[in-house]
Amino acid sequence: YMPQHGADVAVEALGKVGALMRMGRLGYDISTTFIQQLMSLGYDVRNLILLKPTAVWAKSTGGVLKTLLSKNMAHLDDFTVKNADIIKDFIQRGGLFETAEVTEAENLVKNFLAKAPSRFKLSEISGFVEKHAVHRSDAVFTTGRVESAVNMYKAGYRAAEMAGQLDEWAKTVNLMTGVLSTRGMGISAGQRSIESAFVLLSPRFTRANLAIMYHIVMNPSSYTAKQAGQSLASLILATTAAYTTIKTIQGEDVNLNPFDPDALKIEWLGEKYYLGGVLADVRRFLQVIDTMTYYTTGERLSLSGREDKTPRLDVLLSRQAQAKTSPVTGTGIDIIRMMNYPGATDWQG
């Protein structure tokens, strides 16, 4: 134990602010199963292609729904008891069994609500909010990630055991379900707080995804690269197949050309939706090239097909930064944009 100085206390407080704002921004996103658990869907698709079907994503999504809709939110407790042996093995080999990153501010909110006075039934209201808004959010996110990890580890246990890679498989499951231990990496508490407050929207999730790409690019023959790479490729295949199927049913042309701004667009009930994935990332990258070229040479490449719609470079960069950085930094970018471009919102201050 080391005594905290003023700077340490301030950094820790900023980290808590970042965690609190992250929970407010992400903690109630019902599409969680298509974000942190998306690689488990790719894993299932891969196994289906290999005629060894698994249902990791479906089971964890079912667990999320049971937790969301149940009265006592005890599904994860029941799941833990039923799978105690495999969970123990998973943890002993380096697997992480922890509260969801996006709701790590739960205790902070609970402690605040617990101080509500009893006058005007404020304590009853705060108790209801704590249970159904705060704890339920944490239970849903934690259930989805934990159940996905345990079921994936269980599904791949036999193959990893035969390959002598159970320890690596446990750590691979961590990455494929969007977690890693920054404390275990040796990152100090101060740096973790700064990252939470100012740098990344979801630091551990971002690091996990970058770690997967590092394995695939730098060590493609490793067990982690093979499992994650095949799952990612299968996910891309499944996404493309789903888009193609929908467009075919609608009787419209399939557009997979990343040079076309209308690529991966689906229209339904008068609304336009753009499918995510690697092709969408390529399209966004082409837009960045267009913008950078225009503001350095004055020439329009129009790789993204936008021509006269090339955005200002500072606007483009602020959009990207706002989407990926911490809520504190994102809010600061919002304020600057509102001050510089008052027409962007209704606020004219």
Side-chain angles (χ1 to χ4, degrees):
Y1 172 78
M2 295 292 291
Q4 287 188 319
H5 301 289
D8 299 322
V9 174
V11 169
E12 182 180 358
L14 288 171
K16 290 180 179 179
V17 171
L20 183 62
M21 294 181 70
R22 182 183 304 110
M23 185 172 181
R25 179 172 174 178
L26 302 177
Y28 304 93
D29 187 345
I30 61 175
S31 64
T32 173
T33 57
F34 290 101
I35 303 174
Q36 191 165 13
Q37 294 152 241
L38 196 56
M39 283 292 283
S40 67
L41 179 59
Y43 179 76
D44 287 335
V45 173
R46 186 206 71 161
N47 291 337
L48 181 62
I49 294 173
L50 297 176
L51 301 180
K52 299 178 182 179
T54 54
V56 175
W57 182 84
K59 289 178 180 178
S60 62
T61 299
V64 165
L65 294 175
K66 288 179 181 178
T67 302
L68 177 65
L69 301 175
S70 66
K71 182 178 181 180
N72 55 12
M73 295 168 279
H75 172 76
L76 183 58
D77 294 333
D78 297 337
F79 175 83
T80 302
V81 172
K82 292 178 182 177
N83 295 275
D85 291 339
I86 194 70
I87 290 174
K88 180 180 179 181
D89 187 82
F90 176 58
I91 294 174
Q92 289 176 339
R93 296 183 184 279
L96 295 175
F97 192 95
E98 60 184 17
T99 298
E101 180 178 20
V102 300
T103 57
E104 62 186 1
E106 180 196 15
N107 288 333
L108 184 66
V109 179
K110 286 171 64 176
N111 292 337
F112 173 77
L113 292 174
K115 298 177 182 179
S118 57
R119 296 173 57 188
F120 308 112
K121 296 185 178 181
L122 290 179
S123 60
E124 295 181 17
I125 295 174
S126 66
F128 180 87
V129 171
E130 185 275 323
K131 178 179 180 180
H132 294 289
V134 180
H135 180 60
R136 189 173 297 275
S137 171
D138 176 66
V140 166
F141 273 82
T142 300
T143 296
R145 186 268 146 184
V146 167
E147 191 165 344
S148 178
V150 173
N151 284 330
M152 185 184 294
Y153 181 70
K154 185 194 302 185
Y157 186 93
R158 182 68 61 86
E161 184 179 37
M162 293 176 63
Q165 298 287 350
L166 278 174
D167 288 354
E168 186 170 353
W169 176 231
K171 296 177 179 65
T172 300
V173 168
N174 288 340
L175 300 182
M176 291 177 65
T177 53
V179 300
L180 51 65
S181 175
T182 50
R183 181 180 300 174
M185 293 171 61
I187 297 176
S188 68
Q191 182 177 336
R192 295 198 301 271
S193 294
I194 291 173
E195 287 183 354
S196 175
F198 297 115
V199 185
L200 297 170
L201 177 61
S202 186
R204 297 197 295 277
F205 179 74
T206 303
R207 286 181 184 273
N209 282 283
L210 290 175
I212 287 177
M213 298 310 300
Y214 176 85
H215 279 284
I216 292 174
V217 174
M218 302 302 295
N219 193 10
S221 61
S222 68
Y223 195 77
T224 296
K226 290 178 180 178
Q227 297 298 315
Q230 291 173 7
S231 298
L232 181 59
S234 299
L235 182 62
I236 295 171
L237 178 63
T239 302
T240 304
Y243 167 76
T244 302
T245 301
I246 293 173
K247 297 297 284 186
T248 301
I249 293 174
Q250 292 180 335
E252 299 178 359
D253 294 334
V254 175
N255 187 350
L256 298 174
N257 179 14
F259 294 93
D260 189 330
D262 290 328
L264 302 177
K265 182 179 72 175
I266 295 175
E267 294 190 24
W268 187 58
L269 298 178
E271 298 291 336
K272 296 180 181 179
Y273 302 93
Y274 289 87
L275 213 59
V278 175
L279 290 177
D281 290 334
V282 171
R283 189 177 65 245
R284 283 192 288 268
F285 181 64
L286 292 174
Q287 184 181 357
V288 171
I289 294 176
D290 283 353
T291 304
M292 294 292 289
T293 301
Y294 178 72
Y295 282 99
T296 55
T297 68
E299 300 292 333
R300 293 185 183 274
L301 288 180
S302 299
L303 293 178
S304 62
R306 300 186 68 86
E307 297 185 2
D308 295 333
K309 298 181 181 179
T310 301
R312 289 172 52 124
L313 180 58
D314 54 348
V315 174
L316 178 63
L317 293 177
S318 70
R319 287 175 186 168
Q320 296 299 316
Q322 185 183 29
K324 303 299 182 184
T325 54
S326 76
V328 175
T329 303
T331 300
I333 293 173
D334 246 349
I335 293 173
I336 293 173
R337 287 180 62 190
M338 286 189 291
M339 293 174 66
N340 292 335
Y341 314 106
T345 67
D346 293 332
W347 183 68
Q348 300 292 325

